[in-house]
Amino acid sequence: MRKIRIKSAPVIRSKMAGFLFSCFLRNKRSCNYLTYIILVLFVFLSVCTACALTVSSPNYSMGVISFMQGGGASSGVSKANWTAVGEGIASLQQLRAAGYSTLLAGQLYLFASPEEGMNWIISNIQAKTDILGFIIPESEWQKDNDPYFYWDVDVSPPENIDGYSVSLDNLPELEINTDEPAYQFSPDSISSGKHIFYVLPYTPARGWEQQNLLSFQIWVDIDPPVAGSIQPQSGALITDNLIPITCSLYDSDSGMDEASTVLTINNQPASFEYDEETRLLTHQPASAYAEGDNAVMLKAVDAVGNFVVNGWNFIVDTLAPEGSVLINGGQEITRSPYVTINIEAIDATSGVKNIYLSNDGIFDTELNNPYPYSPSISDWLLREPEVSGVKYVYAKFEDFAGNISPTYKDEISLELITPSTRIISGPPTVTEETAADFLYESSREGSKFKYKIDNLEWSGWVEQNTAHFDGLAEGNHYFYVKSGFDSNGDGEITADEEDPTPAQWSWSIRPKGYFEKLRERILFWRR
């Protein structure tokens, strides 16, 4: 309870002053000038001696009723509030008024009474982008992260406040940070998020005015949205030309602005839906994507205008390769069941990856044994190589997207006269070993073999399809082998029944330690 002690003049004197004043107001026109002056001075002196105030409360507001003659037939009445701080009246400067803004000459103060309710010595804290900038609303997301705060001083003169302690997110540390009723944050000093700015005044009479702590919620968002995983992934090669495009997307502060967010596909605007709970942006295509490269551009904007741009490409390949297959370059007849397969295949989008070959056109196990794409595949053994007749080769091509072409085929007539020979394995091209082993085969079952090494004589015809040599000299060596078949059954293999083009293998034998010395040389040159 605030207490105000009023030192009063005798009651009669006060009543007389009031009576004379009221008479004066009612009879001003009938009074001569001398009476007018006397009455005014008397009433003024009476009132001034009637109300001399002292206070026993720290802070209070005082209501004063004033009468002011406006120059007409009636008087005006107004009520003004005055402020006291500490143990005495701070000043007679008007804080709030119902009528007038200052003590004016001619105002007569008849009485004063204390009023409850004015506890604040500072109030109305606000924020701007800078001292001359735009207003920052409280508890609304915005982009300024170095605001200017200011507040009203409710005591007069303002010098009754020594300074202010300010802080962000934590209560003030009771250290004066500014002696002005304002505070400017340093450039870009507040991070994104919801923050509370505090200000606490310090007065000589009471120190830190804890009951007068002011706060202002400032919400800052300076970070753009976060764009995460995408589908299809950048550079992805897909065969589905109606696949949805998705992107994980969120803004943890002000949130996404869907209306300002833009998605384009191949430079054309594209619709999307955004699920705030799953944080997923999804585009469902209404029509198929273009074959080949497709460019996606996403400009994601949050509620205060921060944005991030994310671009990526994916490739649509729904078309299988096209091509052709030829046997021995398109020849009509072959004397050997071992042939060369010539390939021509193209895929405009992703390219040709694999070739699948078959002798019967049924691609079952063949699909498990692809040949990497090459213009030719040599030593392909035709079906039923021991039987003359028309032979077929079938081919399929696969692109890098996994599309497999229709079947292509070619045919050739096999007219067997002599068998063909092929070496399956032999020694390395360069070796330190003086022994050598060979494995070979014939295109016709029941064939026999003869072989020779370097310039030595041919061996006799044997059924064994292997050969072994020991103690070979250092240097280059050559191995030859050919097969023959007793077509007429006379027990002999004549020249017209043997392979006219023997298979050949060449290799070189180097001295012991050759590879070690070679390795040392390589290490030396690497240094």
Side-chain angles (χ1 to χ4, degrees), residues 27-47:
N27 301 293
K28 179 183 174 184
R29 290 184 179 179
S30 62
C31 295
N32 57 36
Y33 287 107
L34 180 59
T35 307
Y36 178 86
I37 294 171
I38 293 172
L39 283 171
V40 168
L41 290 174
F42 181 81
V43 172
F44 181 75
L45 292 172
S46 299
V47 173

Side-chain angles (χ1 to χ4, degrees), residues 29 71 92 111 192 199 228-229 339 385 456 475:
R29 290 184 179 179
L92 291 178
F111 65 89
S192 292
V199 58
S229 60
V339 295
L456 300 179

Side-chain angles (χ1 to χ4, degrees), residues 14-25:
S14 298
K15 289 183 177 181
M16 184 180 294
F19 173 76
L20 290 174
F21 183 71
S22 63
C23 291
F24 163 70
L25 292 178

Side-chain angles (χ1 to χ4, degrees), residues 492-507:
E492 294 183 6
I493 298 176
T494 58
D496 61 344
E497 295 176 322
E498 65 180 40
D499 185 357
T501 57
Q504 177 180 320
W505 190 282
S506 62
W507 77 105

